[in-house]
Amino acid sequence: MPSQNKNGDVFPVPTSPIPVHRFPKKGSTCTVTTASTSRSGEGEDESDGAVTWTEAEEKKLVRKLDWCFLPTVWLMALMSWMDRSSIGNAQLAGMGLDLDLSDDQYSMVIVVFYFGYVSCGPLSNLILSRARPRLYLPFLVGCWGLLTLSMAFVTNYTNLLMLRFSVGVFESGLSPATIFLISCWYRPDEQGKRISATLSAALLGGAFGGIISGSAAAWLEGVNHIRGWKWLFGIEGVFTIVWATISYWLMVDFPGSESTAKRFGERGRQIAVGRVKKEGVLLGRLDGEGSLTAAVERLGKVKSIRVALSDWRVWTITIGVGLLGCSTVLAYFYPILIFEMGFESITQTQFMTIPIWIMAVISAVLVGYFADSFPHHRSLMMGACMGSAAVFSSLVCVIQSPHARYGLLFFMAGGVWSSIALYLSLLAVTFSDMHPEARAFALALPGAVGNLGNVYGAYLFPGRDMPEYFMGFGVISGTLGAGAVLFFVFHVLLRKRRLLRVDE
């Protein structure tokens, strides 16, 4: 069913696997055929109906969605990153001494988180495709908040390992779930901004972790005979649990759900489904109270995984993100790297990590906004950002001045986290033509493999290499450079694929 604007111009709705994005002029009216569902008892009857809406109606819906959905997942991501990355601040505040951790044991504490994170992320998205996001995401957040709170009471290395692994299991579902929901609710030219905004929460979480840790070390150390790092985990855990409870009332379900009709009205639900369907995004039909099933039939978990793994785009992005993932381990070593560059005050070191994260936030948000203007060039931009980060990492290896190396960490952070913002939006756009259940798995797989980089990356900065850390920065330079080349090639292949689809 084509859509028309008020001047009579026709905009065909894409039916090919690769959507051709055409955006009507201001003041246009869109018409899209959607499935309207009526329920009687346990059965379902679906009929096709034309849904027409104006640009003003669509903007009103998006504005309402932004105000309830984005702040909710933003604060969830903030809590996630704070709870995850504060282990480095806790180590510097005395956790390692209290628990008698060796360098290898501390590295394992970092690594074990990713064993849980990597193994459960893709499976969590498969669960989400059949669950209610409004219930599932607050449940995940509450669980890892309780586990973080429990870390304030650990007394030995074994208990710390078990808790870190469990936190990784529950945190693994948040990021892929957020991307999946954004791909279901927003058009491709809207996704980059929202994904970058969500990522900024994770980056600010790294900055806030430094603030809280610095405060704990300076002001709460020894209060009520409790060490500062214990206060750190306790405060973060309590905040996370409180927000998990509040988020239930704010989180949205999938566009076609009954809760969407209750929140945005039946008219809003029709527009929400129709506007993304117009862009070639495959959704599903309503099942129960808000879960998502197949557009025609359910694939099932095994077939969903098989469909996703049979797509060469999934493998290419997964390999590229795997190469990018190694560089994100720097988040855990920023306090230690800065301290060993010659800055003697622990409190000063904690707070000197904050400007690096601010640089990362600014870069990621700007690139995300810019990328929405060129939705088919995200892979090209990603290659450029990874390449620039590789250059700055190489310079860290050869420059010995502590202040110059500190400055280079700024530019490295900008390149690395801009690349992550681009890859997240690249996923949502590239896989929009997939079956919903297969897309849920495909969106989570690259992130899971990318986080494997933190497993070997945790061993790239041993204490014996201080303060130069040639091995760590050398490996990161190589992986970033290889990833840049891969995404340049991927851009060319995607462009050829789009041209072939147009010719057909």
Side-chain angles (χ1 to χ4, degrees):
M1 172 73 68
S3 58
Q4 293 183 323
N5 65 12
K6 65 183 181 181
N7 297 322
D9 301 321
V10 177
F11 299 91
V13 178
T15 56
S16 63
I18 298 299
V20 180
H21 306 301
R22 306 175 191 272
F23 306 111
K25 295 179 180 180
K26 185 175 181 180
S28 63
T29 301
C30 297
T31 305
V32 175
T33 301
T34 61
S36 59
T37 304
S38 62
R39 288 181 177 74
S40 177
E42 297 182 356
E44 290 184 352
D45 295 316
E46 295 186 3
S47 59
D48 288 339
V51 179
T52 303
W53 66 90
T54 65
E55 182 183 17
E57 287 181 304
E58 184 174 359
K59 285 185 175 180
K60 182 179 179 181
L61 172 67
V62 173
R63 185 164 55 250
K64 287 182 178 180
L65 176 63
D66 285 343
W67 276 108
C68 63
F69 172 68
L70 289 182
T72 305
V73 295
W74 192 92
L75 278 171
M76 285 180 173
L78 177 67
M79 300 298 179
S80 172
W81 192 260
M82 288 178 65
D83 295 345
R84 179 192 317 183
S85 62
S86 60
I87 193 72
N89 300 113
Q91 173 74 356
L92 198 58
M95 181 189 69
L97 294 175
D98 291 349
L99 301 182
D100 195 24
L101 300 180
S102 66
D103 285 347
D104 288 340
Q105 286 178 325
Y106 173 65
S107 295
M108 181 54 67
V109 168
I110 295 176
V111 167
V112 75
F113 170 90
Y114 291 100
F115 288 158
Y117 196 95
V118 170
S119 61
C120 296
L123 298 180
S124 177
N125 248 22
L126 288 178
I127 295 174
L128 176 66
S129 68
R130 301 192 180 193
R132 294 188 61 188
R134 187 181 177 187
L135 296 175
Y136 187 63
L137 266 66
F139 168 74
L140 294 179
V141 176
C143 287
W144 90 59
L146 182 61
L147 292 166
T148 300
L149 176 62
S150 301
M151 290 173 65
F153 303 96
V154 296
T155 57
N156 57 65
Y157 169 64
T158 302
N159 290 342
L160 182 61
L161 277 182
M162 293 174 61
L163 288 172
R164 283 284 294 177
F165 175 82
S166 300
V167 170
V169 169
F170 288 102
E171 282 199 19
S172 68
L174 178 62
S175 179
T178 301
I179 305 305
F180 185 42
L181 286 171
I182 288 176
S183 74
C184 292
W185 276 97
Y186 292 98
R187 297 187 328 220
D189 66 319
E190 299 169 338
Q191 293 172 3
K193 302 178 183 67
R194 275 77 185 181
I195 290 173
S196 295
T198 304
L199 179 61
S200 72
L203 300 178
L204 288 173
F208 286 135
I211 293 175
I212 294 175
S213 182
S215 300
W219 303 320
L220 296 177
E221 177 66 36
V223 174
N224 293 329
H225 306 289
I226 298 174
R227 292 299 308 271
W229 63 270
K230 291 179 177 286
W231 280 110
L232 171 63
F233 288 132
I235 292 171
E236 291 181 352
V238 169
F239 282 161
T240 302
I241 294 171
V242 170
W243 183 244
T245 304
I246 296 174
S247 64
Y248 167 76
W249 306 102
L250 301 175
M251 178 55 65
V252 297
D253 283 320
F254 292 107
S257 68
E258 290 181 350
S259 64
T260 297
K262 292 177 181 178
R263 176 167 295 184
F264 302 110
E266 180 59 33
R267 174 70 173 165
R269 175 166 71 170
Q270 293 174 348
I271 296 174
V273 173
R275 73 191 208 94
V276 292
K277 182 179 179 181
K278 178 178 179 291
E279 301 301 329
V281 178
L282 293 181
L283 288 175
R285 60 183 177 83
L286 183 64
D287 182 27
E289 280 293 319
S291 60
L292 197 64
T293 65
V296 179
E297 61 178 353
R298 284 184 171 179
L299 290 181
K301 294 181 176 63
V302 175
K303 190 173 182 180
S304 298
I305 295 173
R306 188 186 308 124
V307 169
L309 294 181
S310 64
D311 194 318
W312 65 272
R313 297 172 300 171
V314 174
W315 285 106
T316 305
I317 294 180
T318 298
I319 294 172
V321 174
L323 294 169
L324 172 63
C326 176
S327 59
T328 61
V329 77
L330 285 170
Y332 296 95
F333 289 98
Y334 279 146
I336 298 172
L337 289 173
I338 294 172
F339 181 72
E340 292 175 353
M341 283 180 181
F343 301 96
E344 298 180 355
S345 169
I346 293 179
T347 302
Q348 179 189 18
T349 300
Q350 300 277 17
F351 283 93
M352 286 185 68
T353 64
I354 297 173
I356 296 178
W357 290 109
I358 298 299
M359 175 67 175
V361 171
I362 294 173
S363 301
V365 171
L366 289 178
V367 168
Y369 271 74
F370 184 70
D372 275 348
S373 300
F374 304 94
H376 294 311
H377 292 78
R378 286 186 169 101
S379 52
L380 180 64
M381 297 167 64
M382 188 172 173
C385 289
M386 289 182 69
S388 65
V391 171
F392 292 123
S393 180
S394 301
L395 290 175
V396 173
C397 293
V398 299
I399 294 177
Q400 301 302 311
S401 169
H403 293 88
R405 299 183 86 197
Y406 176 70
L408 289 171
L409 290 178
F410 275 75
F411 296 105
M412 268 193 72
V416 168
W417 293 102
S418 295
S419 300
I420 292 176
L422 287 167
Y423 113 73
L424 292 172
S425 60
L426 177 64
L427 290 179
V429 172
T430 304
F431 301 149
S432 62
D433 59 319
M434 280 188 175
H435 187 287
E437 289 181 293
R439 184 168 81 245
F441 183 85
L443 289 173
L445 182 62
V449 174
N451 279 289
L452 280 175
N454 290 278
V455 174
Y456 63 85
Y459 296 93
L460 293 178
F461 297 92
R464 62 179 179 272
D465 287 353
M466 64 178 292
E468 292 85 4
Y469 295 107
F470 290 133
M471 179 180 69
F473 286 107
V475 171
I476 289 176
S477 300
T479 54
L480 286 173
V485 173
L486 179 63
F487 279 105
F488 285 140
V489 174
F490 185 58
H491 172 73
V492 175
L493 295 177
L494 280 182
R495 185 171 183 274
K496 289 183 177 181
R497 187 174 187 267
R498 284 194 297 271
L499 291 175
L500 288 174
R501 299 301 302 184
V502 171
D503 291 340
E504 291 176 0

